[in-house]
Structures are given as C-alpha cells and as structure tokens.
Amino acid sequence: VTGLVSGDTAYRFDGVDDWFSVPDSSDINLGGPFEERTIELWFRADDDQKRQVLYEEGAPSRGLSMYIDDGFVYTAMWNRSNNGDGTTPWSGTFAVMAPIAAGNVYHVAAVYDFSSNSLQLYVNGGLADTANGLGRWFAHGGDIGVGAMNWSTRFHANGQQGGNIRAFDGVLDEVAVYGTALSAARIGAHYAAR
C-alpha cells in the first residue's frame, strides 16, 4: 500500500493472520551479550484497543516486544535468566509506553542502552517514556515476528503469552533493527525526514 513515509510503499496487515517471520540471527537475537539496541518503525493502527504485536523477538526467558494495547503503544524487555555477570536476571519485565489513537500515523523508536541501564521510547521524534534498572541483555532464541507474535513473548502485564498470535491490524512501514542505541538527535532527524 502507499507508504507512511513519502516516496515508498508499506505493508497492510489484516489483524488476523498477516505477519512476517524472521529467522534467528546472530546480529539480532542469537549473539550477545547485547549492550545497545534500537527498534524503529512507522505504523497506523485501525484498532487501538486490542493487543496487537508490531515487532517481537525472543521467548519467555529473554526478549523484547513492541505492541499496542488499550490505547497505548508499549515496548517491553526482559532477561529472566542468570548469566553470572551480576546484571542478570533483571527484576521483572521493564516496559515503556505512550498513548496512541487509531487512524493516526506514528513513528516509534525503542532504545535499549546498557551504559545507562535504560529503555527509552520515542514517539514522533520526542522522548515519551523511560525505564531504568535494566542489566546486560543476553542471547534469546524463539525467532522474530513482525506484525504478530512468532511463538511466544511477554507483555507489560499478564506475563508470558503464547498461542494467540496477536496479529496487527493496520499499516507498518520502515521497520528497522539497529545494533546501536540511536541518539535523540538521530531519532528526531528520522522523524523529521518523513
């Protein structure tokens, strides 16, 4: 479909069974330990109430999920296994969130940075929320899903989730995974370049 960023195209997901499965990769989830990561994408949701996965990687012990639920966009991260480095396991699932509305276009970037022990959520170029206290993030299998849950994940509430794929209903564009913590200035420039 017509892209959410000028001059390109995007993917329309039906909220039922449309999604992409991305194989495990040492660059994304099997390497590590990871000390920086940014997940960035544009979306327009047709429904802002039901829980819908935009992007997820990992499984019950370690991972990351970006999703919509009850009028908010969330990013959740967890590392529930002890890796013997003094920063794990983390004390629960860390989540950041910001309000959204169906039909509007959003640019979202989630930034994990071990040097500041933080997870930050940027929406439309500005910092929306921060969680602190995260440790080092270790390798996590379980495959990667874009537009739905690929096998199992965790959310800010209700713990581990499997079974229902939580398919996204709307348009996704420019999904990007960076092995670095993008700066606020870089994220703002990406939003402004639309």
Side-chain angles (χ1 to χ4, degrees):
V1 297
T2 301
L4 302 178
V5 178
S6 62
D8 74 350
T9 58
Y11 284 95
R12 170 74 176 87
F13 295 80
D14 66 7
V16 178
D17 58 4
D18 292 348
W19 62 292
F20 292 102
S21 174
V22 179
D24 287 330
S25 164
S26 61
D27 290 334
I28 299 176
N29 63 329
L30 295 181
F34 302 100
E35 296 191 353
E36 295 183 350
R37 173 68 59 84
T38 302
I39 308 297
E40 178 183 44
L41 55 82
W42 293 80
F43 75 90
R44 183 182 65 230
D46 292 339
D47 180 340
D48 63 6
Q49 295 302 302
K50 72 176 184 175
R51 185 173 287 173
Q52 307 163 69
V53 172
L54 301 170
Y55 175 90
E56 65 89 12
E57 61 181 79
S61 63
R62 299 181 194 98
L64 175 149
S65 60
M66 183 181 284
Y67 56 96
I68 295 166
D69 190 14
D70 200 22
F72 289 85
V73 61
Y74 289 86
T75 298
M77 287 185 76
W78 58 97
N79 195 123
R80 301 171 74 88
S81 297
N82 187 344
N83 298 100
D85 76 335
T87 73
T88 55
W90 299 355
S91 60
T93 299
F94 290 84
V96 287
M97 60 187 250
I100 57 135
N104 293 337
V105 174
Y106 295 94
H107 172 257
V108 178
V111 179
Y112 159 70
D113 187 355
F114 173 65
S115 67
S116 62
N117 298 108
S118 69
L119 173 63
Q120 297 179 322
L121 182 66
Y122 290 82
V123 177
N124 292 346
L127 180 61
D129 198 11
T130 301
N132 294 300
L134 290 73
R136 193 172 277 111
W137 196 34
F138 284 80
H140 43 281
D143 297 329
I144 302 151
V146 177
M149 185 170 62
N150 188 357
W151 186 61
S152 180
T153 194
R154 289 188 179 271
F155 300 106
H156 68 283
N158 303 327
Q160 176 183 344
Q161 297 286 301
N164 183 337
I165 65 171
R166 307 285 182 185
F168 175 59
D169 185 8
V171 177
L172 273 177
D173 199 358
E174 302 293 323
V175 178
V177 178
Y178 301 91
T180 60
L182 295 186
S183 68
R186 173 59 63 191
I187 291 166
H190 287 187
Y191 174 67
R194 176 176 184 224

